[in-house]
Amino acid sequence: MILYHGSYTQVENPKILSLEKGRDFGFGFYTTSIKEQAERWAVRVARLYSKQTKKEEKAVVNVYEFDERLSKKLKTKTFSNPDLDWLDFVVRCRSDLDFKHGFDIVSGKIADDKVGETVEYVLAGIMRKEDAVERLKFEKINDQTCFCTDEALKTIHFKESYAVQKINWE
């Protein structure tokens, strides 16, 4: 299976970084099976990083081959739908930086844009989880796969990277 990772640089040897809090599935290396989603993320990350470095950074999509046979030996969790279990998991990962879920690989829906807003409403106590799940049934939600351990990272192999089209750096 081919997976993509959007960045501002080529990532031949992925690592698990525990720098960014508030990630859907906890700390890990995030990928998607949706090329366009990775391209959008690469553009976003490159713009953010360019503001930090004060120089123009490239938007880069990294392509990996995921060896699912190797993952059979690992502890995995797959969320097929944005249901109550998924929401509980995302809320826990985003709100408790000390939470360790114990999975090597977690895959499922991504809480981006409007979905992320719904999750934030739950975190803030503005919306009940049951109401959030109902609301999410009407959203188009992309996918993500998070490699949470060094053992999990051994199941993906770098194939190539490519730059996303020129970006307007307004």
Side-chain angles (χ1 to χ4, degrees):
M1 168 193 276
I2 298 297
L3 294 173
Y4 304 93
H5 173 79
S7 183
Y8 62 90
T9 188
Q10 181 172 297
V11 182
E12 288 185 47
N13 299 300
K15 293 181 176 60
I16 296 168
L17 303 177
S18 52
L19 303 173
E20 295 181 20
K21 63 180 185 172
R23 303 299 297 263
D24 291 351
F25 299 150
F27 298 120
F29 183 74
Y30 283 78
T31 64
T32 180
S33 65
I34 305 168
K35 183 178 180 180
E36 295 78 16
Q37 177 183 326
E39 289 174 350
R40 285 191 305 273
W41 187 255
V43 169
R44 179 176 182 224
V45 170
R47 283 185 176 153
L48 290 172
Y49 196 67
S50 293
K51 287 179 183 178
Q52 290 176 349
T53 63
K54 306 287 192 238
K55 64 177 189 166
E56 186 175 319
E57 299 291 345
K58 296 182 297 185
V60 178
V61 172
N62 295 277
V63 183
Y64 303 91
E65 180 73 38
F66 173 45
D67 189 339
E68 295 174 86
R69 293 171 310 173
L70 293 177
S71 71
K72 300 225 184 286
K73 299 175 185 173
L74 302 175
K75 191 169 183 187
T76 63
K77 177 73 175 167
T78 300
F79 295 99
S80 300
N81 297 302
D83 57 16
L84 199 52
D85 288 337
W86 172 84
L87 183 60
D88 282 338
F89 194 87
V90 170
V91 166
R92 186 86 189 269
C93 287
R94 284 187 169 207
S95 64
D96 183 355
L97 295 180
D98 296 321
F99 174 61
K100 304 284 187 240
H101 52 66
F103 295 105
D104 296 296
I105 301 172
V106 181
S107 60
K109 303 304 178 184
I110 185 170
D112 61 354
D113 301 332
K114 289 179 87 175
V115 178
E117 180 181 87
T118 301
V119 172
E120 291 301 319
Y121 289 158
V122 172
L123 285 169
I126 297 169
M127 183 179 285
R128 294 178 336 125
K129 290 178 183 177
E130 295 79 7
D131 295 332
V133 169
E134 273 304 306
R135 180 179 183 184
L136 293 174
K137 287 180 182 177
F138 301 101
E139 297 293 335
K140 178 186 179 292
I141 305 176
N142 291 329
D143 70 66
Q144 61 186 342
T145 299
C146 180
F147 296 86
C148 306
T149 63
D150 289 333
E151 281 302 308
L153 288 175
K154 293 176 183 176
T155 66
I156 58 174
H157 305 285
F158 179 80
K159 290 182 57 122
E160 65 180 332
S161 66
Y162 64 91
V164 179
Q165 78 282 348
K166 182 77 174 151
I167 302 166
N168 182 9
W169 299 98
E170 301 169 18

